[in-house]
Amino acid sequence: MLTDLQRRIALTVSQVVQGEGFALAGGAALIFQGVVDRRTRDLDFFTVDATAVNRVCPEVEAALRSMGMSVTKRVDAPGFIRLEVSEANETCEVDFGSDARLRPAMATELGPMIASEELAADKTLALFGRAAARDFVDVFALSEVFGQDRLLELAAEKDRGFDKQHFAEALAAFSRLDRDLFDVADETYVALRNWSTSWRYRILDRSIDRQTKDRGDDVGLGL
């Protein structure tokens, strides 16, 4: 669940950046929508206009400080800013960036939020690209909502560079991650391990079947 601090940050940001196309994304959006049940240490806000990032962040910083929060800018680059926001004994990283968008953002009590299918594509691509422990947790939950095949379709729709074979190798990264990185119960960890392994073999088996079929077609055509 989102903490009280995270919810107040999200509300403040949504009020400051109105009209700039920002929407809450990532794990926080999945948590708010009830897709996953875990904690998060950061909030991600994305817009389709990279120039808006550096334009609005000074106002965001000022608004958060006016609420008594401590704000430190950790990354300040064109099109990407990371703030470290603290209050009492809690700290939250707040990222602002830009990304392509397949679906319109949805309206929520915390402000605009990336739609569930968009989140599904983004998280599948995150597992494809970095294969962090939290990506396995999130995509596992998303696969129960959308199904494995739909997740692959959405990822390919958003990123033409998405490749199922390479995704299968990303799934294999699960065995190289320390157990302590997964903030889940033991039974969930076992389910994650079995799920990632079976999905990987399913993708690879389909690829082998396709290659075999293609060779058979070539023989049939006399090639």
Side-chain angles (χ1 to χ4, degrees):
M1 61 182 295
L2 299 181
T3 67
D4 177 67
L5 174 62
Q6 291 169 340
R7 293 175 69 91
R8 286 188 287 120
I9 291 172
L11 279 169
T12 301
V13 170
S14 68
Q15 292 166 3
V16 173
V17 302
Q18 284 184 32
E20 296 287 359
F22 284 91
L24 182 64
L30 288 174
I31 293 167
F32 180 83
Q33 294 180 26
V35 177
V36 297
D37 181 16
R38 66 172 177 85
R39 294 171 292 182
T40 185
R41 298 176 181 175
D42 55 68
L43 300 175
D44 301 313
F45 295 91
F46 288 97
T47 180
V48 296
D49 179 11
T51 64
V53 173
N54 302 83
R55 184 169 61 247
V56 305
C57 274
E59 295 180 49
V60 172
E61 291 181 63
L64 294 173
R65 289 194 179 101
S66 72
M67 298 177 65
M69 301 176 191
S70 174
V71 182
T72 303
K73 188 178 291 182
R74 293 301 185 189
V75 180
D76 186 357
F80 181 78
I81 287 179
R82 172 169 291 163
L83 304 178
E84 185 179 87
V85 182
S86 302
E87 183 183 71
N89 296 321
E90 183 180 353
T91 298
C92 178
E93 284 188 348
V94 186
D95 289 350
F96 297 87
S98 62
D99 193 16
R101 193 169 295 169
L102 298 176
R103 310 283 189 269
M106 56 187 288
T108 75
E109 64 187 72
L110 293 184
M113 191 172 294
I114 299 298
S116 57
E117 280 202 340
E118 190 96 44
L119 289 171
D122 291 342
K123 272 298 178 179
T124 305
L125 290 170
L127 196 159
F128 173 66
R130 69 187 179 195
R134 65 183 182 276
D135 299 327
F136 282 95
V137 174
D138 291 345
V139 177
F140 176 55
L142 285 163
S143 69
E144 295 184 331
V145 176
F146 293 96
Q148 294 174 348
D149 290 342
R150 183 56 178 158
L151 291 183
L152 297 178
E153 291 172 0
L154 289 168
E157 181 183 353
K158 186 155 190 178
D159 184 351
R160 293 183 179 180
F162 180 76
D163 180 82
K164 291 181 182 179
Q165 290 284 102
H166 290 159
F167 183 74
E169 293 311 307
L171 289 169
F174 182 92
S175 62
R176 299 192 291 271
L177 296 172
D178 291 339
R179 168 67 179 93
D180 292 344
L181 294 174
F182 294 84
D183 186 18
V184 297
D186 287 342
E187 57 267 27
T188 302
Y189 177 78
V190 172
L192 278 167
R193 182 181 62 201
N194 294 339
W195 163 83
S196 61
T197 300
S198 64
W199 195 3
R200 176 172 181 261
Y201 284 132
R202 181 168 174 253
I203 292 172
L204 294 176
D205 286 346
R206 282 186 174 183
S207 175
I208 292 172
D209 288 345
R210 179 60 186 172
Q211 291 173 12
T212 301
K213 180 179 182 301
D214 288 345
R215 287 196 295 271
D217 289 346
D218 290 345
V219 171
L221 291 171
L223 298 176

